[in-house]
């Protein structure tokens, strides 16, 4: 009989080899699962982006006022910037050759936030001349710090962007954003490339007192003419509607409990999301539900419109009495629809554009 230490060594060697084979098997199964997932994801993407479009397509841009948005109809043009006549939102849509995650149009400019998938995946802002067909060269491009979230353009060519640096939802307990404002080299006397940097670095006050906490976040800029803008600032679980001045590099609180503001066409009201913690359809199972609120800036009166399905979008004004927003479909998260909502308590949302996301009204 072999000595005990030789028998133990042999058993140990067998044990090590057995563990190695188990680990190899687990790795093979894991790699196989990743491969299956990758193939399935590719097949899903190809299914969504090839074949006949689920929406009726037009050959040219609509004449007159229209709505520009991200097309989410499966088939040809999925994920591309599209436009439809404001007078016929359910009609044929013109689809560009430019893929965007978020889009906004104002004045002479169109802002497009994009995900560039690869190793590694990166993100960028592209700004186009809104009067030209997309697919050509952008007039300006710069990198985004993370996942595209919000963008707004001013009539004179200021572009605001918000990206998730960590996290991917405002419903999460912990996330970090980077929100910047840049001026585009003017096509017709617009801003000449001014860069205001990260708005988190502005002087921020709440009820006149400086807000200097490390966890403060800024997102959801909306321009109000000249250097004036509104945005969301959050810290310690509280959100504020802030009024800002780009040249002064300051923001001051206007109201609490407000997210993703949007200024009305006449500049007298601001619409935004308002959070409630229970009831209705909770976004992504997160336990967070957002209703819609509209604040009259002169009187301070707030009108809250409770929704059966909570939203997670930056509102857009269709006209002085109506809002638009995107809402993902419950049965297919990659698809969405745009709804309209009258600005009055008790209003019910109505389907405005099928298979659409990130609406922007071009008047």
């Amino acid at each position: 009989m072999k000595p005990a230490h030789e028998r133990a060594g042999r058993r140990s060697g067998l044990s090590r080899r057995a563990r190695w084979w188990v680990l190899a098997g687990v790795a093979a199964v894991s790699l196989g699962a990743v491969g299956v997932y990758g193939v399935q994801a590719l097949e899903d993407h190809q299914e969504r982006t090839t074949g006949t479009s689920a929406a009726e397509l037009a050959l040219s841009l609509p004449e007159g006022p229209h709505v520009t948005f991200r097309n989410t109809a499966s088939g040809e043009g999925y994920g591309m910037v599209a436009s439809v006549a404001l007078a016929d939102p359910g009609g044929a849509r013109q689809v560009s050759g430019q893929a965007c995650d978020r889009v906004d149009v104002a004045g002479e400019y169109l802002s497009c936030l994009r995900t560039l998938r690869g190793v590694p995946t990166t993100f960028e802002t592209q700004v186009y001349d809104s009067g030209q067909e997309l697919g050509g060269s952008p007039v300006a491009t710069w990198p985004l710090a993370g996942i595209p979230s919000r963008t707004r353009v001013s009539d004179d060519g200021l572009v605001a962007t918000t990206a998730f640096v960590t996290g991917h939802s405002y419903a999460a307990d912990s996330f970090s954003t980077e929100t910047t404002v840049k001026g585009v080299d003017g096509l017709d006397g617009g801003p000449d490339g001014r860069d205001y940097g990260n708005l988190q670095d502005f002087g921020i006050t709440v009820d006149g007192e400086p807000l200097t906490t490390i966890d403060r976040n800024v997102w959801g800029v909306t321009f109000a003419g000249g250097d004036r803008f509104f945005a969301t600032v959050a810290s310690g679980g509280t959100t504020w509607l802030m009024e800002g001045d780009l040249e002064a590099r300051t923001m001051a609180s206007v109201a609490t409990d407000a997210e993703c503001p949007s200024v009305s066409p006449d500049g007298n009201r601001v619409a935004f999301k308002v959070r409630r913690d229970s009831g209705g359809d909770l976004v992504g199972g997160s336990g967070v539900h957002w209703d819609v609120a509209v604040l009259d800036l002169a009187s301070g009166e707030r009108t809250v419109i409770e929704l059966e399905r909570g939203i997670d979008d930056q509102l857009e004004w269709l006209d002085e009495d109506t809002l638009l927003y995107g809402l993902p479909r419950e049965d297919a998260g990659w698809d969405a629809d745009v709804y309209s909502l009258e600005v009055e308590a008790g209003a019910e949302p109505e389907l405005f554009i099928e298979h659409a996301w990130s609406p922007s009204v071009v008047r």
Side-chain angles (χ1 to χ4, degrees):
M1 179 179 291
K2 292 187 178 181
H5 72 275
E6 290 187 16
R7 295 198 304 272
R10 185 169 180 271
R11 285 196 301 270
S12 177
L14 288 171
S15 179
R16 285 195 295 271
R17 285 195 293 274
R19 288 198 298 270
W20 187 92
W21 282 111
V22 169
L23 288 173
V26 170
V29 170
S30 299
L31 288 172
V34 170
V36 169
Y37 174 81
V39 170
Q40 185 63 53
L42 179 59
E43 289 177 350
D44 289 345
H45 179 74
Q46 290 176 333
E47 183 178 352
R48 290 198 294 269
T49 58
T50 58
T52 303
S53 175
E56 182 185 359
L57 304 184
L59 298 178
S60 60
L61 279 168
E63 293 184 4
H66 55 277
V67 182
T68 294
F69 53 93
R70 181 179 189 261
N71 176 51
T72 63
S74 61
E76 180 186 357
Y78 175 82
M80 303 295 181
V81 175
S83 296
V84 67
L86 193 59
D88 185 19
R93 61 188 64 180
Q94 190 270 348
V95 178
S96 75
Q98 182 58 62
C100 299
D101 297 323
R102 298 289 304 194
V103 62
D104 190 58
V105 186
E108 298 179 322
Y109 298 98
L110 180 149
S111 174
C112 166
L113 305 191
R114 305 182 63 208
T115 298
L116 306 177
R117 292 173 175 82
V119 183
T121 294
T122 58
F123 312 95
E124 72 176 10
T125 303
Q126 290 187 337
V127 183
Y128 291 87
D129 177 350
S130 63
Q132 303 295 320
E133 291 283 343
L134 294 185
S137 298
V139 298
T141 301
W142 58 83
L144 277 174
I147 299 171
S149 173
R150 305 283 187 254
T151 187
R152 281 292 186 267
V153 183
S154 73
D155 287 338
D156 61 348
L158 291 170
V159 178
T161 64
T162 296
F164 283 110
V165 179
T166 60
H168 62 276
S169 170
Y170 298 108
D173 292 332
S174 177
F175 65 88
S176 177
T177 61
E178 180 174 299
T179 296
T180 66
V181 173
K182 297 175 186 268
V184 182
D185 289 335
L187 295 176
D188 186 20
D192 55 359
R194 289 175 292 169
D195 186 350
Y196 295 97
N198 191 342
L199 300 193
Q200 183 177 305
D201 299 327
F202 278 26
I204 302 175
T205 58
V206 174
D207 297 330
E209 296 296 324
L211 180 69
T212 58
T213 52
I214 296 176
D215 72 335
R216 65 185 186 178
N217 273 306
V218 181
W219 70 87
V221 168
T222 180
F223 294 106
D227 295 319
R228 184 168 169 251
F229 69 94
F230 291 88
T232 303
V233 171
S235 176
T238 301
T239 60
W240 295 274
L241 172 66
M242 292 274 175
E243 183 174 350
D245 186 309
L246 290 170
E247 284 303 315
R249 299 180 62 83
T250 59
M251 285 186 279
S253 62
V254 175
T256 58
D257 192 17
E259 302 179 52
C260 298
S262 180
V263 177
S264 64
D266 63 9
N268 294 328
R269 291 168 295 168
V270 179
F272 46 82
K273 301 185 309 182
V274 58
R275 178 181 300 230
R276 60 174 152 124
D277 294 328
S278 62
D281 178 40
L282 304 182
V283 177
S286 64
V288 177
H289 178 110
W290 283 285
D291 293 316
V292 171
V294 178
L295 178 69
D296 185 288
L297 294 172
S299 68
E301 180 182 355
R302 179 186 295 213
T303 300
V304 177
I305 308 168
E306 295 187 350
L307 303 175
E308 182 177 352
R309 285 196 65 196
I311 70 169
D312 187 10
D313 195 15
Q314 187 165 12
L315 296 155
E316 170 74 348
W317 289 82
L318 174 63
D319 53 43
E320 296 292 353
D321 301 311
T322 313
L323 297 165
L324 299 178
Y325 63 88
L327 191 64
R329 293 194 169 194
E330 293 181 292
D331 59 345
W334 49 268
D335 198 356
D337 301 304
V338 169
Y339 286 83
S340 64
L341 183 69
E342 296 297 316
V343 182
E344 58 183 37
E348 295 288 340
E350 297 183 2
L351 182 63
F352 189 71
I353 305 175
E354 286 190 295
H355 308 298
W357 176 251
S358 190
S360 179
V361 178
V362 181
R363 298 177 177 85

